[in-house]
Amino acid sequence: MHSHTRSHAGVAARAIAVVGSAAMVASPLAAAAQTGPPPVMSHDVRLAAATVPPGGLVTSFLGNQLIYCSFNCPLLIQTGVTAAVTTLQTPGTFFTALQSGDLLKAIGVTAASVTGPTTSAASAAILSDATLIAPRALNALETGVVGMLNIAPAAAGGLPGVVEAIQTARQDTFTALNLPIVPNPTPTVMPNGVVQVAVVSAINVGAAVVFPAFNDVLAGAFQIPDAVAQELAATGDPVRAAAAGVNTAARVATAATGVVADSVVTAVRNIRTAAGGQSSQGTVLTQTQIEKFSLTTTSNGGAKADPPRRLSTPARHASAEPGFSKSLRNVATRVRQATRSAMNTASQPQRSAVSKQAKGLVGGGHRAPK
């Protein structure tokens, strides 16, 4: 009886030992399965998302508007205050200048007392926009566009590739929006391929119209009346004053048109380089053509350029009508030359290929291609 009881107890003890051993073995395996590292892709995605805070792009954009206003708004207010204060002082300025006995000079002095300080104040605001705000904002815009253009090709890698491209676009745009504010910053956008280069080049051409060309025209709105007033105050001659205003308007139009024309030529060159059809010689020629668009002002108020395309600016005291007509012709000539140069540069490889085929036909008839 006792031996039978002991045998059952031994069997039960062995069973309990087996179950306990199995539980000890299974526990580490279950813990390992629960605490194993997550997939590499999801870990990378979480890290990338963590670098750009939720709503970081919107808050960075809105924050930049406040920063830009902190630069330009005081300058714009100063421009308005300067115009108002100097205008209120014109009666005393006029009566003081009238003591010279020359009515026209007195009018010129009075007008110049307003246009001169106002132009200086406005120029400071325009310079701030052109060197600090516009280049930084343009770089952030182009960086965001390039990032979005990278999403479609990433679809070849499936959903993980698309997610990674979106996170990269967000990160690059966020970084561009938060770059240090320095004068004339170096662009950080890096387009790849013909499509992206063409898109960025088109944005650059549009930006040339919106920013530097518009700034030239805006500055001219202050410079033209100031030129008239300053000339009238110096000479008392209304004809010379009108000519000075016309010449200033012509220089403004030339500068605004030239920057747009240069951006078109640069866009064509960049697209051809991205397409792989740009030679070093073509690049040098294009740069030379761009340099010819830039006029060097001489000491006597004229301008000179490399022959045979000489773009002369009317003399300071030339009559108004001839100078205005010549300036308009110069602006139109620059636009035509920029367009013709871009078309010639783009068609150069095709002309070379046709020329080689023609030489082959003349020299020995039809030849089999090598």
Side-chain angles (χ1 to χ4, degrees), residues 226-355:
D226 184 54
V228 174
Q230 297 291 347
E231 185 65 30
L232 186 61
T235 64
D237 188 340
V239 176
R240 291 187 176 184
V246 169
N247 293 338
T248 302
R251 286 195 292 270
V252 169
T254 300
T257 306
V259 71
V260 176
D262 291 350
S263 69
V264 172
V265 175
T266 302
V268 172
R269 184 182 69 241
N270 291 340
I271 294 173
R272 292 189 68 245
T273 300
Q278 176 67 55
S279 63
S280 59
Q281 182 180 3
T283 304
V284 172
L285 288 175
T286 303
Q287 292 175 347
T288 303
Q289 292 165 353
I290 293 176
E291 290 173 357
K292 288 183 178 180
F293 292 144
S294 301
L295 300 179
T296 303
T297 303
T298 58
S299 58
N300 60 359
K304 62 181 180 180
D306 293 339
R309 297 190 299 108
R310 188 176 187 87
L311 307 180
S312 57
T313 301
R316 179 177 175 85
H317 301 305
S319 60
E321 183 62 27
F324 181 71
S325 301
K326 186 179 294 184
S327 300
L328 289 180
R329 288 197 300 270
N330 289 340
V331 172
T333 301
R334 291 190 62 177
V335 175
R336 289 196 300 269
Q337 288 168 345
T339 306
R340 189 181 301 112
S341 171
M343 296 177 61
N344 291 339
T345 304
S347 61
Q348 184 177 0
Q350 289 80 357
R351 290 202 306 269
S352 299
V354 172
S355 177

Side-chain angles (χ1 to χ4, degrees), residues 46-315:
R46 285 199 296 270
L47 287 178
T51 58
V52 181
L57 297 181
V58 176
T59 55
S60 296
F61 173 79
L62 296 178
N64 279 337
Q65 307 315 305
L66 296 177
I67 295 174
Y68 297 154
C69 184
S70 69
F71 281 102
N72 262 20
C73 290
L75 297 175
L76 295 175
I77 294 174
Q78 180 64 35
T79 302
V81 171
T82 300
V85 171
T86 53
T87 300
L88 292 176
Q89 296 174 347
T90 53
T93 304
F94 175 74
F95 285 114
T96 301
L98 193 58
Q99 294 178 1
S100 64
D102 192 324
L103 177 62
L104 292 178
K105 280 189 176 183
I107 295 175
V109 169
T110 304
S113 69
V114 176
T115 60
T118 304
T119 300
S120 299
S123 297
I126 294 172
L127 181 63
S128 173
D129 179 77
T131 59
L132 292 175
I133 298 175
R136 188 173 183 270
L138 178 62
N139 180 68
L141 170 64
E142 292 179 344
T143 300
V145 170
V146 169
M148 288 189 293
L149 292 176
N150 285 329
I151 296 176
L159 182 59
V162 173
V163 172
E164 183 179 0
I166 293 175
Q167 297 296 347
T168 301
R170 293 183 72 247
Q171 179 62 59
D172 292 344
T173 306
F174 180 78
T175 301
L177 287 170
N178 291 276
L179 288 174
I181 300 180
V182 296
N184 300 314
T186 302
T188 60
V189 60
M190 293 184 295
N192 296 310
V194 179
V195 174
Q196 293 188 7
V197 171
V199 171
V200 172
S201 298
I203 295 175
N204 284 334
V205 173
V209 177
V210 175
F211 292 122
F214 176 76
N215 282 339
D216 285 335
V217 175
L218 183 60
F222 294 91
Q223 295 170 357
I224 293 171
D226 184 54
V228 174
Q230 297 291 347
E231 185 65 30
L232 186 61
T235 64
D237 188 340
V239 176
R240 291 187 176 184
V246 169
N247 293 338
T248 302
R251 286 195 292 270
V252 169
T254 300
T257 306
V259 71
V260 176
D262 291 350
S263 69
V264 172
V265 175
T266 302
V268 172
R269 184 182 69 241
N270 291 340
I271 294 173
R272 292 189 68 245
T273 300
Q278 176 67 55
S279 63
S280 59
Q281 182 180 3
T283 304
V284 172
L285 288 175
T286 303
Q287 292 175 347
T288 303
Q289 292 165 353
I290 293 176
E291 290 173 357
K292 288 183 178 180
F293 292 144
S294 301
L295 300 179
T296 303
T297 303
T298 58
S299 58
N300 60 359
K304 62 181 180 180
D306 293 339
R309 297 190 299 108
R310 188 176 187 87
L311 307 180
S312 57
T313 301

